Amino acid sequence: MPGLMRQLRGLGGCTTPIRLDGHRTDVHTTTGEILHHLTASDLPAGNLLVRCNNRRTTRCPACAETYRRDTYQLITAGLRGGKGTPERVATHPRVFATFTAPSFGPVHNRPAKGRCRCGTTHPAGAPELGTPLDPERYDYEAAVLWNAHASKIWARFSIYLRREVAKRAGLSQRAFKEHARVSFAKVAEYQRRGAIHFHAVIRLDGPDGGDTPPPAWATAELLTDAIRAAATAADVPGPVIDGRAHTFAFGTQLDIRPIRSADFDGGTELTERAVAAYIAKYATKGAETATGTLDRPIKFLAELGRKSIPEHARRLIRTAWTLGARKDLEDLRLRAWAHMLGFRGHFSTKTRRYSTTLGALRTARAEWQRLQAAIARGDQAVPAEPQDDDTTLVLAHWAFAGTGLTRGEEWLAASLTPDTTEGALTP
């Protein structure tokens, strides 16, 4: 029982862990001595249990919280340094930009001034917010296809942005690489109407990224002007359906704010901390949080009949499913991503030189936990680096054996206080 409790505690509160069957053997490379051998049957749970690492709050709150904190650290490192990123990045020109989708028809909203177009002043959280005023005239087809092309629009924008910055600096695209670099980190968020929009931190660096200072001409004003021009020019040709040609681009609502002492979201200063917290908050939310849609794929359209979801989300899913049957749209995989209303891109992405990576953060955390576990066991010395003549060869083979906990394990896990330990190997 104590061993099982330790193994469950090592999940850090994950409620849907992945169960693995297999073995691991540690062999001394010089002597060939087997230092340690572990099989899944040796573990108290009968399997190796590892976190699901799902970023969705609706699927696993504990793993989603870890993802949110890691995203916060990643964004913060690119704004003020740390985690291997120099502190000088805090002096580089950087802005916080929000890119929205175009209109597909009027929807119920809460304007800053006046009433909704329906004549009603909707309270915050009203279920009708984001739903069409006239569902029969709402362009559900374009809404789904726009989500499916949103990642391509961003990719086109990122190319045009470098061109626009170079143009304003009086440089060719080839010469621009020798003077400056554009770095960014972005996250996708669903609006209530079910359309994707992007929040991004965009920064101007020297030619080698954050390690080098930007040129004298690089300013937040120049960057803002270039973003507006690139967002306007970035469009992606879409399919022709029933004689109607689609072209997709960002909407006219483009918000760009320098990251410094300025108003942000109702009077809060637009500081590094505020921006990082804002982006990290949306990194763990999917379409189901904003629109009430599903958080899992469906295999058959008939499954919608058993789901309790808003009618607006239901019509978006039906539209994606119908479009997914077309041969000319099979590359969009609309049926596989119908529950995501057509969007199949990554929710958070960044350029290589923006800051650290989520993988590096996870590795550092796992290493720190291994050291803490060694100290707790009473190990007197933990080498910082392996010695050449004292290395260990790890032979491991693990196979998927299922997900989740047994009823007894669920009962025991509920009695534990979750921690951040990830090492579920120790029986």
Side-chain angles (χ1 to χ4, degrees):
M1 183 64 68
L4 179 59
M5 297 289 280
R6 286 195 300 270
Q7 190 176 5
L8 295 175
R9 186 177 288 110
L11 295 174
C14 177
T15 55
T16 55
I18 299 172
R19 308 184 77 96
L20 300 176
D21 191 18
H23 60 83
R24 167 176 168 161
T25 304
D26 298 347
V27 182
H28 196 286
T29 55
T30 303
T31 64
E33 177 187 1
I34 296 179
L35 303 177
H36 182 67
H37 179 72
L38 174 70
T39 62
S41 58
D42 296 331
L43 297 169
N47 293 111
L48 174 64
L49 304 180
V50 297
R51 290 182 177 184
C52 66
N53 286 328
N54 197 302
R55 69 164 191 88
R56 296 173 180 267
T57 304
T58 56
R59 297 286 289 274
C60 183
C63 290
E65 176 61 15
T66 300
Y67 187 91
R68 184 193 67 80
R69 294 183 180 184
D70 284 352
T71 301
Y72 175 85
Q73 296 294 337
L74 184 150
I75 298 297
T76 302
L79 290 172
R80 61 186 183 192
K83 310 295 182 183
T85 304
E87 295 182 357
R88 66 168 61 97
V89 296
T91 64
H92 294 193
R94 63 262 175 90
V95 300
F96 178 71
T98 298
F99 304 80
T100 61
S103 175
F104 307 111
V107 297
H108 294 277
N109 61 4
R110 299 180 71 239
K113 296 181 180 179
R115 299 181 178 183
C116 176
R117 293 179 62 173
C118 69
T120 304
T121 302
H122 300 289
E128 63 271 17
L129 288 175
T131 61
L133 271 64
D134 185 357
E136 299 306 319
R137 300 182 64 181
Y138 191 79
D139 197 346
Y140 281 96
E141 179 180 281
V144 168
L145 290 175
W146 195 92
N147 282 346
H149 289 80
S151 296
K152 292 183 179 180
I153 301 171
W154 176 267
R156 184 71 57 85
F157 160 78
S158 64
I159 294 173
Y160 286 176
L161 177 57
R162 294 173 176 87
R163 295 178 181 175
E164 294 294 337
V165 173
K167 182 191 302 183
R168 282 153 181 76
L171 300 170
S172 66
Q173 296 181 44
R174 183 185 299 273
F176 174 73
K177 298 179 181 179
E178 301 174 0
H179 292 80
R181 177 186 293 267
V182 176
S183 300
F184 67 80
K186 74 169 177 65
V187 65
E189 180 200 359
Y190 281 90
Q191 296 174 303
R192 287 193 175 218
R193 57 184 173 136
I196 280 289
H197 66 170
F198 297 115
H199 301 292
V201 173
I202 305 177
R203 191 183 70 210
L204 275 178
D205 299 326
D208 295 327
D211 293 328
T212 52
W217 52 258
T219 63
E221 290 73 19
L222 181 146
L223 179 58
T224 298
D225 188 44
I227 290 172
R228 292 192 183 280
T232 302
D235 56 27
V236 174
V240 178
I241 300 178
D242 299 330
R244 178 190 176 189
H246 290 276
T247 300
F248 302 103
F250 288 124
T252 56
Q253 294 183 349
L254 174 62
D255 184 45
I256 308 173
R257 309 188 190 187
I259 302 176
R260 57 193 182 202
S261 297
D263 291 338
F264 174 70
D265 200 19
T268 304
E269 285 190 348
L270 185 53
T271 61
E272 295 94 340
R273 183 184 296 272
V275 170
Y278 190 77
I279 291 180
K281 177 178 67 173
Y282 289 108
T284 60
K285 294 183 178 181
E288 69 282 354
T289 304
T291 66
T293 186
L294 308 174
D295 64 350
R296 300 171 185 269
I298 58 174
K299 294 183 178 180
F300 306 100
L301 188 60
E303 295 179 39
L304 285 181
R306 303 192 301 270
K307 306 294 184 180
S308 178
I309 60 176
E311 182 59 27
H312 180 55
R314 190 184 303 273
R315 294 189 67 162
L316 286 169
I317 294 175
R318 286 184 178 275
T319 302
W321 192 269
T322 302
L323 291 173
R326 298 177 60 98
K327 289 292 185 181
D328 56 333
L329 300 180
E330 60 183 1
D331 61 312
L332 300 179
R333 303 183 61 206
L334 290 173
R335 288 195 168 183
W337 296 96
H339 66 296
M340 299 296 291
L341 313 183
F343 180 70
R344 67 189 190 283
H346 293 287
F347 270 81
S348 61
T349 58
K350 73 174 191 66
T351 55
R352 182 177 301 176
R353 300 293 182 89
Y354 174 79
S355 70
T356 185
T357 65
L358 292 176
L361 293 174
R362 296 190 187 106
T363 300
R365 183 170 57 250
E367 180 61 27
W368 182 86
Q369 289 161 353
R370 281 193 290 269
L371 292 175
Q372 297 303 306
I375 294 173
R377 290 194 303 267
D379 294 356
Q380 298 298 318
V382 181
E385 297 181 357
Q387 302 299 318
D388 293 339
D389 58 348
D390 192 26
T391 56
T392 301
L393 174 65
V394 178
L395 303 175
H397 175 76
W398 300 102
F400 177 77
T403 59
L405 301 171
T406 66
R407 288 189 176 183
E409 291 167 351
E410 288 179 354
W411 183 83
L412 288 172
S415 67
L416 297 172
T417 301
D419 58 23
T420 56
T421 304
E422 289 189 353
L425 268 175
T426 304

